[in-house]
Amino acid sequence: MRNRILLMMLCILASVNLSSQKYSWIFPTGTKSSIYLKPGNIINPQTKQPAFNDGYFISAPYDAPVLAVEDGKVSMVSKNFLLSPDLSESMIFHQFSESYRAGRPWVKRENIIGSISIQLSDGSKIHYLGLISNRIKLISGESIHKGDIIGYVGNFRVISKDPCIQISKSDKLGKISDIGIQLFGENNHFEKFSKPPKVQFSPSELKEAFRIFRKALEEGHPALYDKISKQKLDSIFQTADNFITKPMSDIEFAEIIVPIIAKIGCSHTYLNFLNGIRYKWFFPLKLSLVENRCIVLADLSMQKSIKRGNEILKIDGKPISDVVREMKQYMFNDVQTDEWKNELLVLPNWFTRFFLYSTNLKVKQSYKIEFRDENNNIKEATAISPSRLQPVQLKLEKDQQTDFLFNRIDRETYFLAVQSCDFDDLTKKKIQSIMDSILIEKPRNLIVDLRYNSGGNDIAFLTKKLCSKRFNDQCLSMVKSNATYDLLRYSTNYTKETILFPDYVTVKDKPCFWKVPTEKTDSSEIVDAYKGKLYVLTGPRTQSYGAVLASFLYNAGAIVVGEETGGAYYSLNAETFAFVKMGELNLSLNLPLKKLFFNEKQDCGISENRGLIPHFKISKTLQSVLHDTDNQLDYCISLTKLEYK
């Protein structure tokens, strides 16, 4: 059980016919519960990474009793089971060394998952994960009867922010078995998951996948034509469809549709490879695109013949400007600036990823590199990838080790770096403690670094700590339908009957369906908020709710320094997503269904489809990149000195 790699499907239980089930229900009568994730190849809703889920995740109130669904005997009890956020590592908590814990912030006691396995008379076992660990009283070998309380609902934090448990089954040989047959009267056909994934797909399968892709976008995406006209997008769709005439792999198919996604310009609309992506090789140079030059930050190849600071001129005989231009057509984001694209291409794993999509650039073992050395001489070298089967990460690397960092620059200026808008209870307590000390010490200046804040779900928590001016954290939002979506028949996280937005209504002279915030803005001051001078650092990797947080602070009077945010200033497609599987292919489309409007008042300095533009635009310099200094923070500190004078 400890070595299973879990993954999941988000699905809401509409109704359950208990009379047709062999097993009894998991909770006492009257307990409010619903299926959160169904079995199969799906996407972790927390990490957005592909994985395999071998059971049902079921939401229920915290501390609700969990019942045995069948008679049996306790075969295993664990009070210290721990899973990594990407669900790839699992271990008993006390087996982690201190050095291991130091390098993995997720190894925390609050992430412990209590678990119990019950062996049935036929030798099969039912597994319960997500129980409150310190409330488990059963011991191995104890007899259990159907309906007995075996534990209580706890938190499965790597899966859901809300309380839930997972229930799954294995047969007498230890292989996964489909508990949905006996529990819900539904067959998830686990036999199909034992087959190797298909490599090539027929033109008819590809045509069907493309049809699902297009129809899902047209039916569900709330901002499909914000950055491209319907006429032009229809033409692109038709051209792509005409190109599908021969068998292809899912990667070759991705080459066709990723440029279409890039044209839509939405950071939350993207592809997931359900079976993951693994290459034999990866691009072996870490680069930086700064001051219109492509500079080597690290040579990761076997030869290590190119020094830090050398300038790349060509890759395999192709000018680096042409390579970058070709790769940029595959890059998708809310704000389509070169700053954001250049920042993304710094990361070796993303450089490799866009080689994957490109027709003319391919991932391979070695690359011929032409470069300019430190003495201004032009040289050539072969960069060879050092390892086979290098996994390619599908998310941005973090530049900091922790989600937030606090220090005192001097007596009058404090610094707080916040890398996420997701806050668990422990993080909130730490930030509250920091803010309490700031309120007591009353520094003249507070610098909030949001340059690597990629977003999350909670913007109210920090805004209320940093802004004395109250704000309305409810926003105007829009969706395409307040009834059913036909696209949900292809989704892995909803049933086709699901109605997601019943409270959205039509508004005169406006298309689609809308929800208008009812909460009135309170003009009174927040007493326990920071009252000094606020500075905010932003950059291309300030994304999603990170950009929204930055805009709220900007509107509350903060001075913004750095570069334009990668997240848009006026609106965001987010909050509710459908994971749309494209037919028989191993691909899923992450499709946002809701458009949120945060800044209705037009800012004269910020046009549509742009991010928050700083008061002081300070870009990274070649010297700051090569010498690991922070010219943006230095400039911000210099502003605090001017204010002080």
Side-chain angles (χ1 to χ4, degrees):
M1 182 190 64
R2 284 164 39 193
N3 296 324
R4 291 177 304 174
I5 298 177
L6 304 177
L7 227 42
M8 45 222 81
M9 273 178 179
L10 221 97
C11 182
I12 297 180
L13 181 63
S15 62
V16 177
N17 182 2
L18 297 177
S19 63
S20 64
Q21 299 160 11
K22 176 184 175 182
Y23 295 156
S24 66
W25 188 229
I26 314 165
F27 304 107
T29 302
T31 302
K32 187 177 180 180
S33 61
S34 64
I35 297 177
Y36 177 57
L37 297 170
K38 293 181 71 176
N41 285 319
I42 42 176
I43 306 299
N44 184 331
Q46 294 291 84
T47 65
K48 308 303 182 188
Q49 298 300 299
F52 178 72
N53 174 32
D54 59 3
Y56 286 85
F57 282 91
I58 302 182
S59 300
Y62 184 81
D63 205 30
V66 178
L67 309 181
V69 299
E70 185 58 279
D71 296 346
K73 185 174 292 187
V74 178
S75 64
M76 191 281 300
V77 175
S78 173
K79 299 182 181 181
N80 292 286
F81 186 71
L82 195 64
L83 276 170
S84 66
D86 63 1
L87 309 175
S88 62
E89 292 184 77
S90 61
M91 197 176 285
I92 304 303
F93 181 79
H94 61 74
Q95 292 178 336
F96 287 96
S97 66
E98 289 300 322
S99 60
Y100 185 93
R101 296 184 192 190
R104 289 164 173 78
W106 55 270
V107 182
K108 299 175 181 177
R109 182 159 292 278
E110 61 265 29
N111 290 338
I112 289 175
I113 301 166
S115 62
I116 288 177
S117 294
I118 306 294
Q119 183 169 323
L120 309 186
S121 58
D122 62 0
S124 63
K125 294 179 181 178
I126 296 178
H127 312 283
Y128 303 81
L129 284 80
L131 305 173
I132 299 175
S133 60
N134 61 7
R135 294 202 64 189
I136 295 176
K137 305 301 181 184
L138 298 178
I139 59 174
S140 294
E142 190 170 346
S143 293
I144 290 294
H145 299 287
K146 183 186 292 188
D148 286 352
I149 295 176
I150 62 168
Y152 298 87
V153 176
N155 290 305
F156 213 120
R157 295 186 187 277
V158 299
I159 301 298
S160 171
K161 294 181 182 302
D162 299 317
C164 71
I165 65 164
Q166 190 213 39
I167 183 168
S168 61
K169 185 181 178 183
S170 59
D171 63 21
K172 61 183 178 181
L173 298 177
K175 296 180 181 179
I176 59 171
S177 181
D178 193 351
I179 197 170
I181 295 172
Q182 295 94 340
L183 197 60
F184 300 110
E186 64 180 23
N187 190 341
N188 293 289
H189 297 287
F190 270 26
E191 68 276 3
K192 66 186 177 184
F193 298 118
S194 62
K195 298 177 182 178
K198 199 171 180 180
V199 176
Q200 287 281 321
F201 299 89
S202 68
S204 61
E205 290 174 320
L206 297 166
K207 289 276 189 182
E208 173 64 7
F210 188 82
R211 185 192 69 80
I212 293 171
F213 167 70
R214 178 177 180 175
K215 292 299 182 183
L217 286 171
E218 291 176 335
E219 182 189 8
H221 200 292
L224 187 60
Y225 306 115
D226 278 14
K227 295 168 186 167
I228 185 171
S229 69
K230 183 180 186 306
Q231 182 180 11
K232 188 170 183 179
L233 188 57
D234 285 346
S235 176
I236 292 172
F237 277 136
Q238 190 58 55
T239 301
D241 188 42
N242 293 341
F243 192 77
I244 302 172
T245 58
K246 61 181 181 179
M248 296 181 190
S249 67
D250 48 12
I251 292 178
E252 291 171 320
F253 182 78
E255 289 180 18
I256 297 173
I257 63 175
V258 169
I260 299 175
I261 292 174
K263 295 287 186 184
I264 297 168
C266 171
S267 61
H268 287 141
T269 305
Y270 53 84
L271 286 184
N272 280 299
F273 287 78
L274 296 176
N275 294 307
I277 310 175
R278 296 184 72 86
Y279 302 124
K280 288 184 178 180
W281 317 105
F282 69 99
F283 187 72
L285 299 176
K286 183 175 183 181
L287 308 175
S288 177
L289 292 154
V290 58
E291 295 183 2
N292 295 316
R293 299 167 67 186
C294 182
I295 304 299
V296 175
L297 297 182
D299 184 349
L300 309 175
S301 70
M302 296 176 67
Q303 293 73 22
K304 294 185 170 47
S305 56
I306 306 177
K307 294 182 180 179
R308 180 180 173 88
N310 289 172
E311 181 183 359
I312 300 297
L313 303 176
K314 294 181 180 179
I315 297 177
D316 288 339
K318 194 168 189 175
I320 189 65
S321 58
D322 292 345
V323 172
V324 170
R325 187 181 305 111
E326 181 172 342
M327 296 174 78
K328 283 182 177 180
Q329 69 178 310
Y330 297 94
M331 303 176 74
F332 46 90
N333 195 49
D334 294 346
V335 178
Q336 296 282 348
T337 61
D338 271 346
E339 289 173 331
W340 176 79
K341 293 178 178 181
N342 291 347
E343 182 79 7
L344 191 63
L345 288 176
V346 167
L347 307 174
N349 47 3
W350 279 76
F351 210 87
T352 303
R353 182 183 182 186
F354 288 107
F355 267 50
L356 162 77
Y357 293 142
S358 173
T359 304
N360 300 313
L361 303 168
K362 295 300 177 185
V363 179
K364 55 183 185 176
Q365 181 182 7
S366 64
Y367 300 85
K368 184 180 178 181
I369 307 295
E370 183 179 301
F371 64 97
R372 193 190 310 277
D373 70 7
E374 62 275 16
N375 297 316
N376 210 31
N377 298 318
I378 296 178
K379 294 183 176 181
E380 287 188 354
T382 299
I384 300 178
S385 181
S387 65
R388 293 174 179 267
L389 300 176
Q390 174 73 17
V392 176
Q393 304 295 325
L394 299 183
K395 59 182 179 180
L396 293 174
E397 295 174 346
K398 290 187 175 183
D399 283 22
Q400 297 167 287
Q401 290 299 312
T402 58
D403 284 341
F404 72 96
L405 176 68
F406 172 73
N407 59 46
R408 294 170 173 82
I409 293 173
D410 56 39
R411 184 174 59 86
E412 293 292 343
T413 305
Y414 289 5
F415 174 86
L416 179 66
V418 184
Q419 208 170 298
S420 171
C421 288
D422 280 331
F423 307 104
D424 58 27
D425 291 341
L426 181 62
T427 303
K428 283 185 176 182
K429 288 179 181 178
K430 290 179 179 178
I431 293 178
Q432 183 62 59
S433 176
I434 290 170
M435 293 308 301
D436 288 344
S437 67
I438 289 175
L439 291 175
I440 293 171
E441 296 167 23
K442 297 180 180 179
R444 185 184 298 269
N445 309 299
L446 176 61
I447 299 173
V448 180
D449 187 355
L450 301 179
R451 286 175 294 178
Y452 302 100
N453 192 307
S454 57
N457 294 308
D458 188 350
I459 51 176
F461 173 71
L462 257 184
T463 311
K464 290 175 180 177
K465 305 295 179 189
L466 299 172
C467 298
S468 58
K469 174 183 175 182
R470 292 189 182 273
F471 71 102
N472 187 355
D473 59 351
Q474 293 188 26
C475 62
L476 181 70
S477 57
M478 179 268 281
V479 298
K480 286 282 193 71
S481 174
N482 63 356
T484 58
Y485 284 87
D486 187 61
L487 67 88
L488 295 184
R489 70 174 63 246
Y490 308 108
S491 78
T492 61
N493 59 326
Y494 295 110
T495 63
K496 62 182 180 180
E497 298 86 7
T498 303
I499 297 177
L500 294 170
F501 310 111
D503 52 344
Y504 280 64
V505 298
T506 56
V507 175
K508 186 179 179 181
D509 299 327
K510 282 190 174 185
C512 303
F513 298 85
W514 298 78
K515 185 175 182 180
V516 180
T518 55
E519 181 180 309
K520 294 182 179 179
T521 303
D522 186 347
S523 60
S524 63
E525 188 178 65
I526 300 176
V527 176
D528 58 347
Y530 174 68
K531 303 294 195 302
K533 193 75 174 178
L534 190 64
Y535 297 82
V536 176
L537 286 165
T538 62
R541 285 199 241 176
T542 310
Q543 294 276 347
S544 191
Y545 275 120
V548 175
L549 172 60
S551 73
F552 280 172
L553 300 182
Y554 163 80
N555 287 317
I559 301 297
V560 183
V561 178
E563 298 170 279
E564 183 176 350
T565 61
Y569 176 75
Y570 291 104
S571 62
L572 174 66
N573 309 312
E575 204 168 89
T576 304
F577 302 91
F579 305 146
V580 182
K581 188 174 186 303
M582 288 183 237
E584 296 299 314
L585 275 65
N586 305 312
L587 292 172
S588 174
L589 174 67
N590 191 86
L591 178 65
L593 298 174
K594 186 185 292 186
K595 182 176 181 178
L596 312 172
F597 299 84
F598 292 99
N599 297 296
E600 294 182 71
K601 186 178 179 181
Q602 188 76 23
D603 188 296
C604 62
I606 304 174
S607 59
E608 289 292 334
N609 299 324
R610 295 296 298 269
L612 173 61
I613 298 173
H615 296 96
F616 298 92
K617 185 176 179 180
I618 308 297
S619 299
K620 295 177 181 178
T621 65
L622 183 60
Q623 289 301 311
S624 68
V625 169
L626 290 179
H627 295 93
D628 290 324
T629 57
D630 194 336
N631 65 304
Q632 294 170 326
L633 176 58
D634 290 344
Y635 188 89
C636 195
I637 293 172
S638 71
L639 289 178
T640 68
K641 304 297 183 186
L642 291 174
E643 291 288 341
Y644 182 72
K645 292 178 182 179

